[in-house]
Amino acid sequence: MQTLELSIFRFCAKESYEYYFQKYPIAYDHNLTLFSTLESIENLGFDRSMGLRVQGLCVFDDVPLYELVREFGANLYLEPLSQKYVSKDLVLDKKAMFARYEWFFSKYDFIAPSDRYELYKYLWANTISLQSDDSYLGDGFFLYIQWLLERYPKHFDTLIHTLANAQSGVMSYTPIEDLIYINKPNAPHITHTIHALINKVVRFGQCLGCGRAWINELESIKVDSIPSSALQALSTSQANTQNKSGAGGANKENSQDSRVFIVFDAYASLSAKPLISSTKALLQALGHPLIEPRSKLLPLGGYFGSIVDTRAFIKRAAYNIALAAKERAVLVFGDYESYCSMVFAQTELLRDKTLLNEVCALYGQIDYYINPVQHINTIIAGSQSKLWERESPLTHLKLVAYPSLLACDALDGCQQVASIVLKRLLGPNPTQEEIINATQNLHAHHHPIVSKLGGEWLDIVESRQDFSHLQAYNYEGYLKESSRIRFAGIDAGADMLVVSNVGLFRAFTTLAKAGAKSIGRDPSNTPTLYLPQVALLALGMHNKLDKKYRTLELA
């Protein structure tokens, strides 16, 4: 048997206004699960139909305790999904959560009484997001509206109108999957469902009173047709490309040492300049050859590009991949958001053979399977040695990465890696006790990016949501939420904030004072840098940074 300590949130609305954490030492084996453990604690309020938070992440289904120990260590903090609605300990007052929507049912009396209570099935999803705006209607409510749209198709316009407000509606949704550790069984994919609702609002929600500010923004990000001058850059014959690759050349091209790189630079914001320059400088410092494409790379359309017009977005992304492929180069992204958008486009393109054939007809026969895009994180983590010769200049610093997964996303699935390590450690027939001991040792995952850069990387829950896309149509929300997550990192003790998003960089730097004022905080000089800038600092290459961003001394 192994032991762990649970620090459990205790509170009773009928007895006190104060909450506290009570510690419980727990002996566990391979079979003991979280929910059964909580239900065995006398006088503890817990509702397994809703779930709870473990280390700030949402757990909606039972999970073995040894898995949590493997992931988070032997000291676990357990909290209710929402402190706002807590009634006793880990239990939420679902009647109070439901009562929030009385105005909705009073206004739309076409909804049958029995169908109104269907909302209870979705209230759990309201508790995931860290968004602090009380006017925001809630992700669970949006899932319920989707159910109503299928139930009451004749009232489509009325229901869509409810979702279209720029501040409280679906346009202010921020993906929440990174806040979930264990998902609810048979639950809908929340982001996919709400993105579909956003698409409906964009197409059909342009009515008076819907909050039209975002509509103008969506008009401005519609994907334009690719200019003919850009297409001419792809006019190199397929024969020439094949001659360059050849039988021996193909093997050389696949070699890590022979790759050349093109840095993605199609950003509209001036805040991207240090990102582009530092990404190029870092690749050169690591000995990777860079080339400039013969034509300009095209912007992807921002957060809403893939939602508003998915096919046009994919064609635009495919053009960038094709341009790099014609140059026989890897397309490198310094920012995480654009990289994820490109990977999404590439995946969707390969699922749609008709669109793939259409793209190949436009840009030539490009094998989208083997012409990759990469994030600079992967290249840093894959470098053959540490970036410094002796001790990293960052060794004594604490850093917070936005998104928090930035520090470990070079691993291709932690569970897969853990499985491989376990097999090596334990052999073919391990006992349960050996498995538990080994999984505890795996808690301190070896994250290549950390070992390459040095420093202590803090993982805070607040860094798992990015509100940058609110900037165009919900500026107040963008400023407040971005400032709130920034100060969460500062309050956690960070000496440096590391971002992989142009919108966050602007919020954390240019708008830092305004953001602090918006949430009633004093300004902070905690420096904010892009990941490639941090890597350059780890290399000791301060001269490669613009003077404005030589901020290591401030840490």
Side-chain angles (χ1 to χ4, degrees):
M1 298 286 286
Q2 302 293 313
T3 60
L4 65 87
E5 185 175 81
L6 300 180
S7 297
I8 303 178
F9 182 97
R10 301 303 303 265
F11 172 77
C12 183
K14 295 181 180 180
E15 298 176 1
S16 173
Y17 293 103
E18 299 292 333
Y19 70 85
Y20 62 96
F21 283 89
Q22 186 170 355
K23 297 183 183 297
Y24 293 88
I26 301 293
Y28 69 98
D29 60 18
H30 190 68
N31 297 313
L32 191 61
T33 63
L34 176 63
F35 286 5
S36 61
T37 299
L38 294 176
E39 290 171 340
S40 70
I41 297 176
E42 186 176 356
N43 199 35
L44 176 68
F46 172 64
D47 179 4
R48 68 162 58 210
S49 71
M50 288 293 283
L52 73 160
R53 290 185 186 270
V54 178
Q55 304 297 98
L57 300 181
C58 299
V59 176
F60 292 111
D61 195 21
D62 210 355
V63 59
L65 286 176
Y66 81 88
E67 288 190 12
L68 294 173
V69 173
R70 178 185 66 196
E71 186 69 24
F72 303 115
N75 296 288
L76 303 176
Y77 276 82
L78 277 54
E79 304 170 84
L81 291 169
S82 170
Q83 291 190 19
K84 180 179 180 179
Y85 289 103
V86 64
S87 58
K88 177 174 170 41
D89 302 332
L90 304 175
V91 178
L92 302 185
D93 186 346
K94 288 185 279 190
K95 288 185 178 180
M97 296 174 72
F98 183 87
R100 180 189 174 196
Y101 302 101
E102 288 180 355
W103 65 270
F104 174 75
F105 295 116
S106 298
K107 186 175 182 179
Y108 303 122
D109 56 4
F110 62 83
I111 302 173
S114 59
D115 289 341
R116 298 180 184 187
Y117 293 104
E118 190 76 14
L119 174 59
Y120 274 101
K121 295 182 180 180
Y122 299 99
L123 289 176
W124 60 273
N126 275 354
T127 65
I128 304 172
S129 178
L130 302 177
Q131 189 157 178
S132 61
D133 188 348
D134 289 335
S135 70
Y136 184 66
L137 290 173
D139 303 331
F141 179 74
F142 299 148
L143 298 180
Y144 174 62
I145 291 291
Q146 175 59 37
W147 182 83
L148 289 178
L149 287 171
E150 298 171 0
R151 186 81 167 172
Y152 298 94
K154 292 183 179 179
H155 296 276
F156 179 92
D157 290 343
T158 300
L159 294 170
I160 286 295
H161 176 87
T162 304
L163 302 178
N165 184 275
Q167 183 175 353
S168 63
V170 292
M171 303 306 293
S172 287
Y173 170 73
T174 299
I176 57 177
E177 273 70 25
D178 289 340
L179 297 170
I180 301 174
Y181 180 68
I182 298 293
N183 209 346
K184 201 171 184 68
N186 304 316
H189 189 291
I190 297 174
T191 294
H192 178 78
T193 302
I194 295 181
H195 279 182
L197 286 173
I198 289 173
N199 190 277
K200 291 183 176 72
V201 170
V202 170
R203 294 176 182 274
F204 306 110
Q206 299 186 29
C207 52
L208 293 175
C210 285
R212 296 178 58 90
W214 53 264
I215 295 176
N216 294 330
E217 169 62 18
L218 293 176
E219 289 293 329
S220 69
I221 66 172
K222 282 185 177 178
V223 179
D224 299 326
S225 59
I226 298 175
S228 57
S229 59
L231 290 174
Q232 290 174 2
L234 297 175
S235 61
T236 304
S237 68
Q238 199 67 22
N240 288 341
T241 304
Q242 292 172 352
N243 289 336
K244 286 182 180 180
S245 58
N251 292 331
K252 185 178 180 181
E253 182 178 11
N254 290 331
S255 168
Q256 294 288 323
D257 295 331
S258 64
R259 294 181 304 172
V260 295
F261 295 92
I262 292 175
V263 173
F264 183 77
D265 59 3
Y267 304 97
S269 173
L270 292 176
S271 296
K273 285 187 175 181
L275 172 67
I276 298 167
S277 61
S278 61
T279 302
K280 290 181 178 180
L282 178 60
L283 287 170
Q284 291 172 333
L286 293 176
H288 297 298
L290 293 178
I291 62 170
E292 294 293 331
R294 287 170 290 175
S295 184
K296 291 183 179 179
L297 293 161
L298 299 179
L300 299 177
Y303 176 84
F304 290 104
S306 60
I307 303 173
V308 176
D309 193 339
T310 304
R311 289 179 68 86
F313 162 77
I314 292 173
K315 287 182 180 180
R316 203 172 184 85
Y319 165 84
N320 288 334
I321 297 176
L323 181 60
K326 291 289 186 179
E327 306 285 4
R328 304 180 68 230
V330 176
L331 188 57
V332 178
F333 291 83
D335 77 303
Y336 195 68
E337 180 182 275
S338 297
Y339 167 74
C340 290
S341 295
M342 187 64 79
V343 171
F344 165 80
Q346 191 171 1
T347 303
E348 293 299 310
L349 182 65
L350 296 174
R351 290 177 181 175
D352 189 336
K353 291 185 178 180
T354 302
L355 183 57
L356 178 60
N357 292 334
E358 187 177 342
V359 164
C360 287
L362 285 171
Y363 311 140
Q365 293 295 320
I366 302 297
D367 191 337
Y368 289 91
Y369 286 97
I370 63 172
N371 287 288
V373 297
Q374 287 193 14
H375 184 236
I376 190 65
N377 183 16
T378 315
I379 297 172
I380 295 172
S383 58
Q384 296 302 309
S385 62
K386 291 183 178 180
L387 298 184
W388 57 91
E389 293 181 359
R390 296 181 181 177
E391 183 178 73
S392 167
L394 308 180
T395 295
H396 303 293
L397 297 180
K398 294 181 179 180
L399 305 94
V400 170
Y402 295 81
S404 61
L405 301 181
L406 183 67
C408 59
D409 67 357
L411 289 178
D412 187 16
C414 286
Q415 297 297 329
Q416 183 178 6
V417 173
S419 175
I420 294 172
V421 174
L422 280 175
K423 288 180 181 178
R424 292 177 179 174
L425 288 175
L426 304 179
N429 298 305
T431 65
Q432 284 190 356
E433 186 173 356
E434 287 175 330
I435 292 175
I436 293 173
N437 288 333
T439 51
Q440 286 179 332
N441 292 334
L442 285 173
H443 166 59
H445 294 302
H446 173 72
H447 298 321
I449 195 70
V450 176
S451 67
K452 300 296 180 184
L453 298 179
E456 179 184 351
W457 293 74
L458 309 176
D459 184 6
I460 63 170
V461 172
E462 289 82 358
S463 69
R464 291 173 178 255
Q465 272 195 298
D466 172 21
F467 300 91
S468 308
H469 62 287
L470 304 184
Q471 179 178 355
Y473 54 89
N474 184 2
Y475 183 80
E476 181 182 351
Y478 159 70
L479 200 61
K480 286 185 176 180
E481 301 295 351
S482 297
S483 185
R484 184 177 55 79
I485 65 175
R486 173 176 178 260
F487 274 98
I490 295 171
D491 293 342
D495 301 303
M496 183 182 297
L497 308 178
V498 184
V499 297
S500 187
N501 176 289
V502 176
L504 274 179
F505 186 82
R506 182 169 184 263
F508 284 16
T509 55
T510 307
L511 301 176
K513 289 185 178 180
K517 184 178 180 180
S518 72
I519 61 172
R521 295 289 298 262
D522 293 329
S524 169
N525 290 326
T526 303
T528 297
L529 289 92
Y530 286 115
L531 177 63
Q533 290 181 306
V534 176
L536 287 171
L537 290 177
L539 281 167
M541 302 181 68
H542 298 68
N543 60 320
K544 293 293 184 180
L545 300 178
D546 297 333
K547 290 183 179 180
K548 184 177 180 180
Y549 301 105
R550 293 180 189 171
T551 52
L552 184 60
E553 292 78 12
L554 295 177

